[in-house]
Amino acid sequence: MATDNAAGLAGVIAGQTAIATVGKQGKGLTYRGYSIHDLAEHSNFEEVAYLLIYGRLPKQAELLEYRTKLRGQRGLPAALKSVLEQIPRSTHPMDVMRTGCSMLGTLEPEGPGHDQFAVANRLTACFSGMLLYWHHFHAGGKRIDTETDDDTTAGHFLHLLHGKKPDELHRRAIDVSLILYAEHEFNASTFTARTITSTLPDFFSAVTGAIGALRGPLHGGANEAVMELIEKFPTPDAAERGVLEMIAAKKLIMGFGHRVYKISDPRSDVIKAWSKKLAEAHGDERLYRVSERIEQVMRREKNLFPNLDFYSASAYHLCGIPTAMFTPLFVVSRITGWAAHIIEQRADNRLIRPNADYIGPEPRPFVPIANR
Ligand code: COA
């Protein structure tokens, strides 16, 4: 008889990894053994990217060299720019990321002289430029230069978006969010990347597929759905009423719950503190207060906790990021985790090909078309 015990592969150990622990007893969330709290407090995104991709923390000179390398790879080939110009203005930016990634794979294919580390670094360096080249071309008819002299990915992203260097508060808020979003074990997009990798295609195929998996609202797309929810409410009281109605109608409240975490998401408090800090700095606490009330209601009514996407929405909004760029910004970060998993999968590969419980009809005689 068919069983749905493995529905969504919940609780199934689907392989081994040395990259991250998620919700493991006594360990919590770690990247290569380092706690997410230490990384968010003391590290920066490029250091974390290096840690994930190369397996250890860089020394000072290595970090400098890595940042210089990323800075030097932010330019886009003319053929990619031309494709970006042809993608309609109405397209969701995640589709721009997916198409841009796939196109780059045709122009700079993985191969001799362009190994997997080179591809990982190239994508880490230029995803921001792809998105924002397309954005400025369609929003203002401008062909921007995607190369900036900013040392950090966060600074580079904000600089390209707003056309000027960001202040340190906003830059560091984005830097921390990139650290938090960088890696999360066998989540849906990473597992997609590993599944694709297991058939031995090129690196770009795995990343392109992963972007598709991340786009959905049950995964990365949740941060955009959260923004659409919280911006509807003028006050915390209105938010409480609205969310109670949604709960009564058995609707999902985006940004809550998690497949692995059962009590809390360790990343949520970090981004919540940044959301509060940004709200105070802007003198505009509406979205933060609305979010806090929704958190209280969800704990009280559903015993559910916010995940990383919930307070990321208000934090990103206060950094001036358009809602449709929230999930693409997740890509700018998660490319590093995907890259680490693609490299790890290749190092000890076996085709990922599970079985299914069959629940269809019993074998039966074929009926010729004239007799149906
Ligand atoms: N809002 C309302 N109810 C929720 C909920 C949410 N965000 N998340 C889970 N629940 C409820 C489910 O309806 C289910 O209730 P039931 O037992 O009465 O049917 C119960 O909690 C268990 O949830 P389940 O769907 O089995 O969890 P899952 O492990 O399959 O799904 C998520 C995990 C993350 C997909 C799910 O929590 C969700 O859809 N969250 C919203 C999207 C989101 O924030 N995604 C980003 C994840 S980082």
Side-chain angles (χ1 to χ4, degrees):
M1 204 183 93
T3 160
D4 68 350
N5 283 349
L9 298 182
V12 171
I13 304 284
Q16 295 186 317
T17 184
I19 301 168
T21 57
V22 173
K24 293 268 186 288
Q25 190 71 33
K27 296 192 176 74
L29 174 58
T30 62
Y31 296 171
R32 303 235 184 242
Y34 299 103
S35 126
I36 193 66
H37 291 109
D38 286 345
L39 293 171
E41 183 72 30
H42 305 296
S43 187
N44 55 68
F45 174 66
E46 291 71 35
E47 192 171 51
V48 166
Y50 189 103
L51 170 70
L52 291 170
I53 294 170
Y54 294 99
R56 63 176 176 80
L57 286 171
K59 296 184 195 309
Q60 186 67 50
E62 289 169 328
L63 180 60
L64 272 177
E65 193 190 321
Y66 184 57
R67 281 187 157 155
T68 305
K69 187 185 291 178
L70 293 181
R71 229 178 24 234
Q73 295 189 18
R74 290 174 176 163
L76 305 179
L80 174 54
K81 289 187 198 168
S82 143
V83 164
L84 292 169
E85 289 177 15
Q86 287 167 58
I87 298 176
R89 181 181 183 166
S90 58
T91 302
H92 191 282
M94 278 301 273
D95 299 345
V96 175
M97 304 300 267
R98 193 190 63 219
T99 305
C101 177
S102 185
M103 180 64 187
L104 191 66
T106 69
L107 299 171
E108 301 175 3
E110 186 180 11
H114 198 48
D115 70 6
Q116 56 184 352
F117 292 96
V119 176
N121 294 336
R122 176 70 163 131
L123 287 171
T124 304
C126 77
F127 266 138
S128 302
M130 269 184 217
L131 172 73
L132 292 160
Y133 183 88
W134 169 82
H135 168 73
H136 286 297
F137 180 79
H138 289 285
K142 270 191 292 185
R143 292 189 164 96
I144 61 159
D145 179 0
T146 58
E147 296 182 73
T148 71
D149 62 358
D150 298 86
D151 279 339
T152 67
T153 305
H156 174 62
F157 183 93
L158 289 172
H159 191 163
L160 288 183
L161 175 62
H162 295 132
K164 59 180 192 322
K165 278 193 184 294
D167 63 49
E168 185 49 23
L169 178 75
H170 294 96
R171 192 207 63 78
R172 180 62 182 158
I174 296 300
D175 192 40
V176 171
S177 102
L178 296 177
I179 294 172
L180 299 175
Y181 269 124
E183 160 57 11
H184 217 220
E185 198 223 39
F186 280 18
N187 57 85
S189 59
T190 301
F191 194 65
T192 301
R194 289 190 78 126
T195 303
I196 295 174
T197 301
S198 82
T199 72
L200 303 182
D202 68 306
F203 203 98
F204 290 92
S205 295
V207 176
T208 304
I211 294 171
L214 187 70
R215 187 189 194 296
L218 296 191
H219 191 7
N223 54 16
E224 294 178 21
V226 170
M227 190 62 213
E228 282 151 23
L229 174 76
I230 60 177
E231 70 187 346
K232 283 198 303 216
F233 301 122
T235 62
D237 285 348
E240 175 148 3
R241 282 192 300 276
V243 168
L244 285 173
E245 279 168 22
M246 289 175 76
I247 293 172
K250 302 221 171 307
K251 290 196 178 141
L252 275 182
I253 313 295
M254 292 305 175
F256 285 87
H258 198 269
R259 171 56 65 76
V260 181
Y261 300 127
K262 294 299 167 213
I263 296 165
S264 66
D265 177 339
R267 304 165 298 178
S268 175
D269 282 350
V270 180
I271 200 68
K272 180 177 176 180
W274 273 97
S275 174
K276 184 166 196 280
K277 199 189 276 199
L278 288 161
E280 285 166 358
H282 280 256
D284 176 4
E285 300 192 17
R286 176 176 75 91
L287 289 176
Y288 180 76
R289 297 274 164 237
V290 160
S291 302
E292 238 187 358
R293 180 68 72 85
I294 295 175
E295 179 183 356
Q296 288 161 11
V297 173
M298 288 300 281
R299 277 191 202 282
R300 188 182 75 217
E301 302 292 325
K302 299 284 293 179
N303 198 22
L304 281 172
F305 54 87
N307 57 49
L308 171 59
D309 291 320
F310 189 65
Y311 283 98
S312 293
S314 45
Y316 280 181
H317 182 78
L318 287 170
C319 289
I321 298 173
T323 304
M325 288 188 193
F326 289 6
T327 320
L329 193 48
F330 194 156
V331 173
V332 167
S333 162
R334 184 57 64 85
I335 174 57
T336 59
W338 290 333
H341 280 272
I342 293 167
I343 293 165
E344 185 179 66
Q345 179 70 30
R346 285 175 165 182
D348 186 20
N349 186 55
R350 188 160 187 221
L351 177 72
I352 297 175
R353 199 295 186 197
N355 295 339
D357 270 329
Y358 179 68
I359 56 166
E362 288 303 310
R364 47 187 168 164
F366 177 73
V367 183
I369 195 160
N371 301 345
R372 278 174 219 161

